[in-house]
Amino acid sequence: MDVESMRKKIIELVDDSREDGRKIAFYSNPTVQEILDMLYDRWEKNGRKGIPLDYATEEEVKILYTIAVKATNVPASKSYISFIRSKLFGKS
């Protein structure tokens, strides 16, 4: 799958999803948080043109795509529990 297709699939699987558990599983992932911090910096430096995902390298897109696909297989209840644990106890 090419990079642009992976970008579109990430948006479809996560942002366009109506399943909150999927969004929690994706966005609470420490690797996703680290990459998104960098993407938001790049996006800001480029005048907020497009979306932050537009500024991801090929490697970053591949990582985010892999995590997005895995997030679709995490039951919502597990996502909520992992998220709450990480916020309360600093671990998942």
Side-chain angles (χ1 to χ4, degrees), residues 25-37:
F26 181 78
Y27 285 111
S28 66
N29 181 294
T31 302
V32 170
Q33 290 175 7
E34 183 180 319
I35 291 172
L36 286 180
D37 286 344

Side-chain angles (χ1 to χ4, degrees), residues 3-92:
V3 173
E4 191 54 37
S5 295
M6 284 189 276
R7 279 189 178 105
K8 289 178 182 176
K9 194 67 175 175
I10 292 165
I11 292 168
E12 177 187 319
L13 291 172
V14 180
D15 294 327
D16 292 346
S17 175
R18 292 181 171 219
E19 296 179 39
D20 291 337
R22 183 180 293 184
K23 292 177 186 194
I24 290 170
F26 181 78
Y27 285 111
S28 66
N29 181 294
T31 302
V32 170
Q33 290 175 7
E34 183 180 319
I35 291 172
L36 286 180
D37 286 344
M38 292 184 292
L39 296 183
Y40 273 93
D41 283 344
R42 292 178 206 153
W43 180 64
E44 289 281 342
K45 289 176 183 171
N46 285 283
R48 294 184 176 188
K49 293 182 181 122
I51 61 172
L53 190 56
D54 293 338
Y55 298 92
T57 65
E58 182 175 348
E59 184 63 27
E60 290 166 338
V61 171
K62 287 178 181 178
I63 292 167
L64 294 173
Y65 174 79
T66 300
I67 295 169
V69 170
K70 287 180 182 177
T72 64
N73 297 318
V74 176
S77 59
K78 184 172 178 165
S79 296
Y80 289 114
I81 291 167
S82 294
F83 176 74
I84 291 168
R85 267 193 200 137
S86 71
K87 294 303 173 194
L88 292 176
F89 307 111
K91 56 185 172 188
S92 49

